[in-house]
């Protein structure tokens, strides 16, 4: 069998496996019988599909990752509130005195903005509408609202105007949100414009932290991904398991679990 035919055969088998998993067939032995290969081959296939972000492994089988759906801001704010508060408190301790700070859009970053409101003097640039409004009322906080088109669900801004503004700014520390994180793919978002803004910010920041509760490190498939340039770390909560921490560490990404 030629290399191209072998590759095509593997791809067709992978598609068949995903289709069967979606229909509810998840046992390795059953999957192997139906696609006509050994159980060890199926296990290797499932490991590859998991690495590509298409499935999640379970004990003795696998399941297809859920289709990604972005939540409205109000709904997201009600979820994992305790974890987000703990992450925000830990993030605030990493802000130098009188620093220039970037705070992303999103509910965990809004939780951070609420803590920073009492930590002035600071200069805070943000693309989050709620964060800007909250910080604008705080004494000692100079607020810079990054321009751009408002995203209807996240209430964050992105686009060409954001690029223009960020090209004229630099930050001591940046705190980014994420809809999902993956050790190989990086940071996932609903739109390419949002991932590009995060890339720009990371490139203009001395330190970069991604704020993400444990659910953001679970299986998901948003449309857009970015691997942030330079070193960056993840601040998350204690629900993240050791295997996930190790997977990020192998990519040189520090994951800090806070309680």
């Amino acid at each position: 069998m030629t290399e191209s035919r072998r590759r095509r055969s593997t791809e067709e088998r992978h598609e068949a496996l995903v289709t069967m998993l979606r229909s509810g067939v998840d046992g390795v032995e059953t999957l192997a019988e139906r696609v006509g290969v050994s159980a060890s081959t199926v296990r290797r296939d499932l490991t590859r599909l998991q690495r590509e972000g298409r499935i999640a492994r379970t004990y003795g089988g696998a399941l297809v990752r859920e289709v990604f759906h972005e939540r409205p801001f109000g709904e997201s704010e009600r979820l994992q509130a305790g974890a987000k508060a703990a992450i925000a408190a830990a993030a605030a301790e990493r802000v130098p005195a009188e620093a220039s700070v970037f705070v992303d859009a999103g509910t965990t970053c809004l939780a951070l903005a609420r803590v920073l409101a009492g930590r002035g003097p600071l200069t805070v640039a943000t693309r989050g509408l709620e964060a800007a409004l909250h910080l604008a009322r705080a004494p000692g906080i100079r607020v810079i609202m990054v321009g751009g088109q408002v995203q209807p669900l996240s209430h964050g801004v992105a686009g060409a105007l954001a690029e223009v503004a960020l090209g004229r700014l630099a930050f001591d520390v940046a705190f980014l949100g994420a809809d999902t994180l993956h050790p190989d793919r990086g940071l996932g978002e609903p739109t390419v414009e949002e991932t590009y803004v995060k890339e720009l910010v990371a490139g203009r920041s001395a330190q970069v932290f991604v704020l993400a509760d444990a659910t953001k490190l679970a299986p998901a498939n948003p449309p857009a991904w970015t691997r942030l340039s330079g070193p960056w770390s993840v601040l998350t909560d204690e629900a993240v398991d050791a295997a996930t921490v190790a997977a990020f560490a192998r990519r040189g990404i520090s994951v800090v679990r806070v309680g």
Side-chain angles (χ1 to χ4, degrees):
M1 182 182 294
T2 65
E3 180 61 29
S4 62
R5 288 184 61 190
R6 184 179 296 108
R7 188 181 302 112
R8 185 163 59 250
S9 175
T10 300
E11 291 172 354
E12 290 172 353
R13 188 172 68 250
H14 287 177
E15 292 302 322
L17 288 170
V18 171
T19 298
M20 284 186 282
L21 290 169
R22 188 172 284 119
S23 69
V25 179
D26 62 356
V28 169
E29 298 295 337
T30 303
L31 291 168
E33 181 181 351
R34 294 198 182 184
V35 297
V37 297
S38 67
S40 60
T41 297
V42 166
R43 290 190 183 94
R44 286 195 296 271
D45 287 343
L46 296 179
T47 297
R48 179 173 172 179
L49 289 168
Q50 180 186 30
R51 189 168 58 247
E52 293 173 350
R54 299 183 65 186
I55 68 168
R57 296 297 298 273
T58 63
Y59 182 76
L63 55 85
V64 177
R65 290 176 181 264
E66 294 183 0
V67 175
F68 174 77
H69 295 288
E70 185 182 9
R71 291 189 176 95
F73 190 94
E75 178 184 338
S76 180
E77 191 172 19
R78 293 191 294 271
L79 301 174
Q80 308 297 321
K84 291 173 181 178
I87 293 167
E93 295 304 317
R94 289 160 170 80
V95 176
E98 301 185 33
S100 175
V101 185
F102 180 85
V103 176
D104 206 353
T107 55
T108 309
C109 288
L110 175 59
L112 170 60
R114 289 173 175 146
V115 179
L116 293 182
R119 302 290 181 93
L122 294 170
T123 296
V124 180
T126 183
R127 70 180 196 94
L129 299 182
E130 283 84 358
L133 288 170
H134 188 85
L135 289 168
R137 298 190 291 265
I141 306 291
R142 176 174 175 253
V143 181
I144 300 172
M145 183 71 206
V146 175
Q149 181 176 340
V150 178
Q151 307 300 303
L153 295 181
S154 68
H155 299 175
V157 299
L161 291 176
E163 181 180 356
V164 170
L166 291 169
R168 289 160 171 76
L169 298 171
F171 308 104
D172 297 304
V173 58
F175 299 98
L176 304 180
D179 272 78
T180 190
L181 289 174
H182 189 278
D184 298 321
R185 290 186 172 187
L187 187 153
E189 286 290 317
T191 67
V192 172
E193 290 79 7
E194 288 171 285
T195 59
Y196 184 53
V197 167
K198 294 172 196 290
E199 289 177 12
L200 291 174
V201 171
R204 303 191 67 81
S205 303
Q207 295 184 82
V208 178
F209 296 95
V210 178
L211 310 185
D213 66 77
T215 64
K216 302 295 182 69
L217 280 72
N221 271 315
W225 291 87
T226 181
R227 292 185 178 93
L228 298 178
S229 60
W232 54 284
S233 302
V234 179
L235 294 182
T236 187
D237 61 271
E238 293 179 321
V240 173
D241 60 80
T244 299
V245 173
F248 278 90
R250 286 193 291 271
R251 285 291 187 176
I253 303 165
S254 171
V255 176
V256 180
R257 293 180 287 187
V258 302

